[in-house]
Each structure stands twice: as C-alpha cells, then as structure tokens.
Amino acid sequence: MNRLTRDQMAARVARDIPEGAYVNLGIGLPTKVGNYLPQERDIFLQSENGLLGMGPAPAPGKEDWELINAGKQAVTLLTGGCFFHHADSFAMMRAGHIDICVLGAFQVSTRGDLANWHTGEPGAIPAVGGAMDLAIGAKQTFVMMELLTKQGESKLVEACTYPLTGLACVGRAYTDLAVFDVGADGARVVEAVEGLSIDELRVLTGVPLAA
Amino acid sequence: MNRLTRDQMAARVARDIPEGAYVNLGIGLPTKVGNYLPQERDIFLQSENGLLGMGPAPAPGKEDWELINAGKQAVTLLTGGCFFHHADSFAMMRAGHIDICVLGAFQVSTRGDLANWHTGEPGAIPAVGGAMDLAIGAKQTFVMMELLTKQGESKLVEACTYPLTGLACVGRAYTDLAVFDVGADGARVVEAVEGLSIDELRVLTGVPLAA
Amino acid sequence: MIDKSFVSAEAAVADITDGAAVMIGGFGTAGMPEELIDALIARGVRDLTIINNNAGNGESGVAALIREGRVRKIICSFPRQSDSHHFDAAFRAGKIELELVPQGNLAARIQAAGAGLGAIFTPTGYGTLLAEGKETREIDGVHYVFEHPICADFALIKAQRGDRWGNLVYRKTARNFGPIMAMAAKITIAQVTEIVPLGEIDPEVVVTPGIFVQRVVAIAPSATNLEQAA
Amino acid sequence: MIDKSFVSAEAAVADITDGAAVMIGGFGTAGMPEELIDALIARGVRDLTIINNNAGNGESGVAALIREGRVRKIICSFPRQSDSHHFDAAFRAGKIELELVPQGNLAARIQAAGAGLGAIFTPTGYGTLLAEGKETREIDGVHYVFEHPICADFALIKAQRGDRWGNLVYRKTARNFGPIMAMAAKITIAQVTEIVPLGEIDPEVVVTPGIFVQRVVAIAPSATNLEQAA
C-alpha cells in the first residue's frame, strides 16, 4: 500500500484544478498545492488578505512583508494580479466567485460537513479566520487530509464530533490513501492507492462507501 | 415684503455651510447653492453618481460627458477630488458621512417629514433617484422651496399629503419668505424677510410656529 | 492561456436568451455600454428584465431596447426624465413592468448580491410608498426595511481599459454601477475603449479584479462619443 | 483651508478615552498602524474594545496593547497564532473578553456599518458554534445568520500616501481592512508613509476618499519596517 506523501497529495489535488480556475488554498497543507500547478496553465490564486494572482515565494532576502498570504508568509504577485480590500476579498469567497477552495480538515462527514477550525478541547483557544467563509462560499470545496489520525481513527466520519466549520459544504476529500466524493448521496471512492481495496477502506473508515 | 429670489435663497443656504462640510446638493434649485459657496472655504461637494470634490461647470465646449453630476450636467473636479463606485457613494450618504444635504420639496411637515419625489397623481410616472437616501442619511437635511404653491397653499404643513420621501428627516427649511427649523418640537421661525411678521407667517402657512 | 477578450460585441452577448435578467451599467449615458446593448437588440431577444439606474435616455442604449419592445420589466431608481419618452410610452401602455427602487437601495442590493448576503435591513424608504407591504424592523431605535439582493444572469458594463484576465479600470463618473454590477452578475461582459497587455494596469489601481469579469470587448469610441467627450 | 494632517501620532490619538471602541487595521503586521498604537498605549487609556483581524503578534502593536492590560474585549477572527502569547495569557487568565467572528462576517459587518445598514443576513457560520443562539432565516433555500454591523468610535489604520483632505492609497496587502474600517468608524486616523500635496494622488486611484478620514499623520517607516520590507 503506497501511502501518498503530503507532496504527492498536493500534486494529486493540483491535477484536478483546470485552467482558468479561481482558487483559494488554505493555510498549511493546502498551500503546497501551489507548488504543483503547471506553469503553462493560467490558474488564479486568491488570498483572503486581498490579492488575486498570487505567485510563488520570493527568493530569500527579497521578502516584502506587505506582500503576504493568509498564512502571513511572504509571496509574490504575478503579472496581471491585483490588490483589493477585505470586504471585496470575502465577497469573492462568499458569493461563489471562487471556483475551488482547498482546506485542511480535522474531520469530514460522508454528507460533506466539515470540521477544521476548533478541537473543542477545554482550554483550547479557538481561531476561525476565513475557514467558515471559504467552506460555504466557494463553488467547490476540496479537503486535504491524512485519512487516519495518529491513533488510527478515520477522519472521514458519518457525523463530525468536532465543532463544525460548515454544513454540507465539502465536495471532495483528498487523502493519503484515497480520494472520496462526499455529499447528499454519501461517500464514494473515486480512487485509492495501489493495493488498497474498497473493502479495506470500509474497514479503515468504518463508514458506508460506494464504489 | 421682499420675497427672496431663487438665487438669493441659494446664497442664504450657502451662508450656513461651514468650512470642511461634506455636502450633497439635490437636483434643481439646490444645485444653485454651489454658485454661492465662498471660494476661500474648503467645502466638499459630493455627487451621488460617484464624485467628491465637484467643481463648477466647465467652459462651454469643454464638457466631458463622463464627468457629470446627479442632474447629468457636465461638471469639473477640484484638485483633491476623487471618483468611486455607486455603493461607496451611497454609503457616504446613508451612513451619515455627508454632513449636509440640500433638497427641493413639494411639502415639509412641521415635524420634519419630507415629500419631494412624487405627486401621487394618477398617471404620473414616479422617479425617486437618490432622494430617499439623502433625506434620511445625511447628518442634516436642509430643504429649499418656495413657501407657497402657485395656488397660494403652504408647502410647510402639519402633515404631508403627497407621498413621503422620508419621516422626520428635515432639520431646516429655507424658503423665499422665511427660514424654519422643523422637528420633534414642531416648527420654529429662524428668520423672516423684512416686513413679514411671525403672525403673518402663521396665517400664510396655517401651521403652529414658534418664534 | 486565459484570454477573456472577445472579437465583437455580437460574439460577447451571443448566449443571452429570452427572459434573462441583465444589469446594464451607466448613470444616464455615462458608463452606458451602448455597443453591447446594440448587439443585444440585434440578437432579437425578448422579455428581458433590465436593471439600470434609469429607463433610457433619447434613442440609444436602454431607450432603444425599450423602444424595440424587448424589456418585460425594469428595475431602476429614476425612470422619468425629460428624454425618457420610450419608457414613458411603454409604461403608459402597460407594456413594461416597473420596480422602482431608491438609488441607494439599488446599489446596496446589487452589492449584497455580489457579496453573497441573503438579505439586508436598509434605512431608506421606511414609512414610504416604496416600502409598502415590506417587512420592517426597528434596530437600535432606527427603522429599517428588509430587502433582498438583486442578482442577474448578465451584466453589461463599460470601462476604460481592460486586460485579458478581465481586470478593469474606469473613467471618471462613468464608473458608477460598473464595479458592483460586475460582482453581482453570473456573467459580466465589459466593453472597454482599449484592451491592454497584462500587467499594464498597475495592480494597485485595478478597480474591478478580473475574477468578476468573464468577457472583455474592445470598442473604439464612436464619433458621437468622441464629440461628447471632447 | 482644510488640513487634516496632524503633527504627531500622540496628537492624533489625544481624544481617545477609556472604554472606546477602536478598530485597528492590519492583517498580522501588514497594515498595522504600529506608531498610532504606541501613542495609544502611551496615553494610558484602559477598557478598550479592539476590533482587529488578529489578537496581536509578538511584542508590538495590538500585542503590546494587550500586554499592557488596556484591552477589555477583542472582536477578531484569528486570535490564536504561534506568536499570540500575550493574548493567550490574558485570555486564559480571564482578563480579556473574546468575540470570535468569522473573517468574512467581520469584513461584512464592518462594511455594513460604513454603509448604514441596520443588519445583514450572512451565510457564514450557519449551523456552527459561532452562530449559536443567533437568529437565522432560510432565504431561497439557503440558511443565513442575522448579524449586526460593527461600528467604532475610532479607526486606526495605515496607508501608504495621504493628502490634507484625507484621500488615501495603500500598499500591496497592507490595504486589507483599512478602507472598510475608515468607513465604519466615527473618527478615522490614518498613519501614512508620506503626506503629498493635494492633487498628487490621481483621482481615479484614490482608494479611500477623504470623507472617510478625519486625521492623517506622516510616520516615516522605521528601520525595522524598512528591513522587513527590503
């Protein structure tokens, strides 16, 4: 069983992003997707803090700390990109102008509920940022995550136990073991890594999975 | 009795506009106020169609039909003025960023209700434009009008009979015969033209007037 | 390579069909996309719902669309003008439905659509004919009227310059409704005086980011326009 | 002659008093008006309600304001970060109240305040902890949450250039919340790198019209900032 590395997962997501798509990549693992978008495709990366046409990280020493992404890392602007204020930026997300957003997740339910902002543990300080806006606003919401926790529990669940980010908002979950479509009809296995059967995925996740 | 001309009324209103005020002048008679604002005062004229720092009409032959005012007349832009879109323009009006707006009126009630957009006559085609937004949004709403109709009826009334533009929104009414404060406490005569007594104004208007 | 430029106004409006809701930019003639409207008229589509500040001036643009009998309903703030005779005639003949909206509510409802809001409570119109029958609410001592967003299938707007990614800048008060209509429509078609190479518009001064614009058509200013703008 | 420029950050914030609601621009440190915040700290005012996207980073700006115990309540979207230790400590000690708002709702509620809306129905947060107890409504098949505007007594923002009428332009992603906070606060104070003569900012590219700005202070970039921006 060839578990995908995090970079392989990013490359896999990148394959599904068509030319011309307006895309928001969440903080953390989703940010890696940017490294695998083919240069020859015009794909427009949006960052919640007010830029469209985000380019790669600048060369070391060339950082401009007024040109950053949602993760507060220094980035660059592609030719043809532009800046705008926060209300316009979130209008892009909330009204379906963004085609695809890619988010990390603690849990995704088979019907597409997402939990990715808060563990709900006592004493944990919550922070939500733009996650709730992205989850429900983009035309398509993709999730990237390892399928199992370190304790071996499935993050694809029948019902999220962590506090929700949004209801019925995720369309597809990319994991290190398989890709799933989720939604009103439940979860379906789009593909699995070599050597992993659907029945084995059913055992690992404990949820109903269509082929 | 020295009835004020329309230009004298405009000059009278202009005297009450302090330096630094953000002002919107309605279509028609109020537009004349712009001609009487002293050059040495920085007063900012806003036009609903997206400009701030509106200057006087251009010289004949120098019109730019993409630089117009709310009445669709050619205007100019002062040094330091700027352009913006319609939502920002109406945000200026509706959230109290405009200090003073000056509007024409069919009727004003002693408590400050305004009727200025529609005669309500059968067959009349209504048009409201920005009148309702200006009436209720500016910090202060001034009205300019002849006090009496051609039939001799007072336009300052106890209750408007024409369809309303806004409730309790007018603070002051400038007329050809007198200036009135209106509001929750009723109407008060601020000043009258020479030779016109408050009692005569009471007869002319038929409404209670405080001195 | 993404290139949103279209060869002609005709090509850009070719999928607008009968019954579509179409926002049209402009305040009077400033910012009105006259050539896009002409192309729409030439398509022969009917029963349109038009969202515009006015209801046409003179013989061109929105006035021509109404004259040709293509408009079932107009949502606007200021239909009656000295030169709105085509609207006036259609309205009096019962051939066009009018939804009269205070201009600030029009702008706010268009902006709400572009921002994905479900509804807004707006201060304008409370206690007037234009709020009759509408839900109201008192919030912190002020009365507000409940209003829905105004969406559209298409927006036809006019800008000064555009690029192949759809970034736009406008000219003077021709900006007016363009930026918010671009955000509110499913498909925004912009006619521009000039399509410039990518990067020629300073990223700091882009008014409408390309994400809000699906099609850009270069239309050289007509002799009439040049004369008007001279 | 109207001149909104102030000689110093201290003079510009001199009337901010205990208990004020203060919006502070910036996304992390980009666009954060550090010198205005320092001047606010120096004034010694307490019990502030702060509206900012974050709850401070490291030792400067909003973090310093919290460290000094001046903040009674913070309204923000993303308080917890690797370098938010001053907020974390104050929050765990029960010394600061947190109103956690999804970032898009934060932006929309600030924009609603600046536009004079009474309330909005927003799609974000429906069905989550952050909408618990809030009014909801289904409109055209989508669920929305009722949210009030966020107003403030003051906004402290950072822009690139300003003029004596208060017109502002920003730099890159330091723009973020500046334009909408300027619209939502009763008094907006902008620190700018440079105050330029009237007319030097092209009227087409002004991002924040002067009507939204009451005070402008020129603050030369500090050595640290220059190094960061190098």
Side-chain angles (χ1 to χ4, degrees):
Chain A
M1 183 168 85
N2 285 316
R3 187 185 300 266
L4 298 190
T5 64
R6 291 163 71 84
D7 279 290
Q8 287 171 325
M9 288 167 64
R12 176 64 190 83
V13 173
R15 282 220 314 275
D16 283 357
I17 297 181
E19 170 129 68
Y22 289 90
V23 180
N24 185 297
L25 302 175
I27 296 177
L29 179 54
T31 302
K32 281 185 179 288
V33 173
N35 301 335
Y36 294 94
L37 296 173
Q39 295 275 346
E40 69 277 12
R41 272 187 228 161
D42 275 350
I43 288 170
F44 307 102
L45 296 183
Q46 194 256 17
S47 188
E48 67 189 19
N49 53 315
L51 76 161
L52 188 62
M54 183 166 63
K62 296 291 185 188
E63 295 87 356
D64 176 344
W65 296 105
E66 291 188 338
L67 179 47
I68 60 175
N69 66 11
K72 302 187 175 76
Q73 300 163 308
V75 295
T76 52
L77 188 76
L78 300 181
T79 298
C82 63
F83 302 106
F84 36 85
H85 64 55
H86 242 79
D88 281 349
S89 179
F90 278 80
M92 292 178 191
M93 298 179 196
R94 290 152 59 102
H97 302 288
I98 299 286
D99 296 300
I100 296 170
C101 84
V102 186
L103 296 171
F106 297 149
Q107 291 177 324
V108 174
S109 82
T110 53
R111 64 187 290 265
D113 297 342
L114 171 66
N116 80 344
W117 71 284
H118 187 25
T119 61
E121 281 166 24
I125 298 176
V128 63
M132 287 187 181
D133 301 286
L134 279 166
I136 59 103
K139 286 202 191 81
Q140 287 186 278
T141 297
F142 292 168
V143 149
M144 286 176 77
M145 61 183 187
E146 273 89 33
L147 181 58
L148 305 177
T149 66
K150 281 170 191 156
Q151 291 74 37
E153 290 168 352
S154 174
K155 296 183 187 176
L156 179 66
V157 295
E158 286 210 71
C160 295
T161 54
Y162 287 121
L164 289 180
T165 305
L167 289 166
C169 52
V170 178
R172 183 168 273 200
Y174 295 85
T175 76
D176 52 340
L177 294 175
V179 177
F180 304 91
D181 278 346
V182 294
D185 297 331
R188 188 180 71 83
V189 179
V190 176
E191 65 192 39
V193 295
E194 213 183 314
L196 185 67
S197 73
I198 288 193
D199 280 333
E200 286 169 310
L201 274 168
R202 287 181 179 127
V203 171
L204 283 173
T205 61
V207 302
L209 294 174
Chain B
M1 183 168 88
N2 286 314
R3 190 185 299 267
L4 299 189
T5 65
R6 290 163 71 85
D7 279 291
Q8 287 170 323
M9 287 168 64
R12 176 64 190 84
V13 174
R15 283 220 313 276
D16 283 357
I17 297 182
E19 170 130 64
Y22 288 90
V23 180
N24 185 297
L25 302 175
I27 295 178
L29 181 52
T31 302
K32 282 185 177 287
V33 173
N35 301 335
Y36 294 94
L37 296 173
Q39 295 274 345
E40 69 276 13
R41 273 188 227 159
D42 275 352
I43 288 171
F44 308 103
L45 296 184
Q46 195 255 17
S47 187
E48 67 188 21
N49 54 317
L51 76 160
L52 188 62
M54 184 166 63
K62 296 290 186 188
E63 294 88 356
D64 177 344
W65 297 105
E66 291 189 337
L67 179 47
I68 59 174
N69 65 12
K72 304 189 174 75
Q73 300 163 309
V75 295
T76 52
L77 188 76
L78 301 180
T79 298
C82 62
F83 302 106
F84 35 85
H85 65 54
H86 242 78
D88 281 350
S89 180
F90 278 79
M92 292 178 190
M93 299 179 195
R94 291 152 58 101
H97 302 289
I98 299 286
D99 296 301
I100 296 170
C101 84
V102 186
L103 296 172
F106 297 150
Q107 290 176 326
V108 174
S109 83
T110 54
R111 64 186 290 264
D113 296 343
L114 172 66
N116 81 342
W117 71 284
H118 187 24
T119 61
E121 280 165 27
I125 298 176
V128 64
M132 288 188 181
D133 302 285
L134 278 165
I136 60 104
K139 286 200 190 81
Q140 286 186 280
T141 296
F142 292 167
V143 150
M144 286 177 77
M145 61 183 187
E146 274 89 34
L147 182 57
L148 306 177
T149 66
K150 282 171 191 156
Q151 291 73 37
E153 290 168 352
S154 174
K155 297 184 188 174
L156 179 66
V157 296
E158 287 210 73
C160 296
T161 55
Y162 286 122
L164 289 180
T165 305
L167 289 165
C169 53
V170 178
R172 182 168 274 199
Y174 295 85
T175 75
D176 52 341
L177 293 175
V179 178
F180 305 91
D181 278 346
V182 294
D185 298 332
R188 188 180 70 82
V189 178
V190 176
E191 65 193 40
V193 294
E194 214 182 314
L196 186 66
S197 72
I198 288 194
D199 281 334
E200 287 170 310
L201 276 170
R202 287 181 179 126
V203 172
L204 284 172
T205 60
V207 302
L209 293 175
Chain C
M1 188 180 101
I2 292 298
D3 185 354
K4 299 182 179 179
S5 59
F6 272 58
V7 290
S8 68
E10 290 65 31
V13 304
D15 56 352
I16 303 184
T17 53
D18 288 357
V22 183
M23 292 179 170
I24 298 183
F27 183 88
T29 54
M32 187 175 71
E34 192 173 333
E35 285 77 4
L36 290 179
I37 299 171
D38 287 344
L40 185 60
I41 293 172
R43 268 188 58 64
V45 292
R46 313 191 70 85
D47 292 325
L48 300 173
T49 294
I50 297 296
I51 298 104
N52 180 255
N53 186 59
N54 302 105
N57 300 83
E59 297 298 326
S60 65
V62 175
L65 204 55
I66 293 171
R67 183 189 66 215
E68 300 301 321
R70 309 303 171 76
V71 184
R72 186 184 63 75
K73 176 180 177 181
I74 187 154
I75 302 174
C76 69
S77 87
F78 208 76
R80 189 199 60 225
Q81 297 182 263
S82 59
D83 56 355
S84 63
H85 41 274
H86 288 303
F87 169 78
D88 298 359
F91 183 75
R92 293 216 158 91
K95 289 183 178 164
I96 190 168
E97 181 187 344
L98 169 65
E99 179 180 343
L100 188 68
V101 180
Q103 198 172 161
N105 283 356
L106 189 64
R109 292 172 62 187
I110 293 169
Q111 189 175 46
L117 298 180
I120 55 175
F121 279 103
T122 171
T124 299
Y126 177 79
T128 77
L129 271 181
L130 298 187
E132 269 188 355
K134 294 189 173 178
E135 176 183 343
T136 62
R137 192 181 294 204
E138 186 177 340
I139 301 169
D140 290 337
V142 180
H143 295 275
Y144 298 91
V145 183
F146 178 86
E147 293 281 3
H148 285 283
I150 300 176
C151 309
D153 300 306
F154 294 89
L156 310 184
I157 64 173
K158 181 179 181 177
Q160 181 67 3
R161 289 185 299 148
D163 63 30
R164 67 178 171 87
W165 281 3
N167 295 306
L168 302 178
V169 292
Y170 300 82
R171 183 170 177 277
K172 301 187 179 179
T173 59
R175 186 185 306 196
N176 59 68
F177 283 93
I180 57 174
M181 287 182 169
M183 296 172 74
K186 290 194 198 97
I187 305 235
T188 293
I189 307 168
Q191 75 170 63
V192 298
T193 300
E194 189 188 5
I195 295 179
V196 299
L198 212 59
E200 199 161 293
I201 304 175
D202 178 350
E204 298 281 10
V205 314
V206 167
V207 173
T208 295
I211 189 172
F212 299 125
V213 178
Q214 282 67 46
R215 302 171 192 169
V216 182
V217 190
I219 307 276
S222 69
T224 324
N225 289 345
L226 280 177
E227 191 180 309
Q228 284 189 327
Chain D
M1 187 181 104
I2 293 297
D3 185 354
K4 298 183 180 180
S5 59
F6 271 59
V7 291
S8 68
E10 291 65 31
V13 304
D15 57 351
I16 303 184
T17 53
D18 288 359
V22 184
M23 291 178 171
I24 298 182
F27 183 90
T29 54
M32 186 174 70
E34 192 173 334
E35 285 78 3
L36 290 178
I37 299 171
D38 287 345
L40 185 61
I41 293 172
R43 270 190 55 66
V45 292
R46 315 191 69 83
D47 292 325
L48 300 173
T49 293
I50 297 297
I51 299 103
N52 180 255
N53 186 57
N54 302 104
N57 300 83
E59 297 298 326
S60 66
V62 175
L65 204 56
I66 293 171
R67 181 188 67 215
E68 300 301 321
R70 308 304 171 74
V71 184
R72 187 183 65 71
K73 176 180 177 180
I74 187 154
I75 302 174
C76 69
S77 87
F78 209 75
R80 187 199 63 225
Q81 297 181 266
S82 58
D83 55 355
S84 64
H85 41 276
H86 288 302
F87 168 79
D88 298 359
F91 182 75
R92 293 216 157 90
K95 289 183 176 164
I96 191 167
E97 182 187 342
L98 169 65
E99 180 179 345
L100 188 68
V101 180
Q103 198 172 164
N105 283 357
L106 188 64
R109 292 172 63 188
I110 292 169
Q111 188 174 46
L117 299 180
I120 55 175
F121 280 102
T122 171
T124 300
Y126 176 79
T128 76
L129 271 181
L130 298 186
E132 268 188 355
K134 295 188 173 177
E135 176 182 343
T136 62
R137 191 181 294 205
E138 186 176 339
I139 301 169
D140 290 337
V142 181
H143 294 275
Y144 297 92
V145 183
F146 177 86
E147 293 281 1
H148 285 282
I150 299 176
C151 307
D153 301 305
F154 295 89
L156 310 183
I157 64 172
K158 182 179 181 178
Q160 180 68 3
R161 288 185 299 148
D163 63 30
R164 67 179 171 87
W165 282 3
N167 294 307
L168 301 179
V169 291
Y170 300 82
R171 184 169 177 277
K172 302 187 178 179
T173 58
R175 184 183 307 195
N176 58 69
F177 283 91
I180 56 173
M181 287 183 170
M183 296 174 74
K186 290 195 198 97
I187 306 241
T188 293
I189 307 168
Q191 75 169 62
V192 298
T193 301
E194 189 188 4
I195 295 179
V196 299
L198 212 59
E200 198 161 294
I201 304 176
D202 178 350
E204 298 281 10
V205 313
V206 167
V207 173
T208 295
I211 190 172
F212 297 126
V213 178
Q214 283 66 45
R215 302 171 192 170
V216 182
V217 190
I219 306 277
S222 69
T224 322
N225 290 347
L226 281 177
E227 192 181 307
Q228 283 189 328

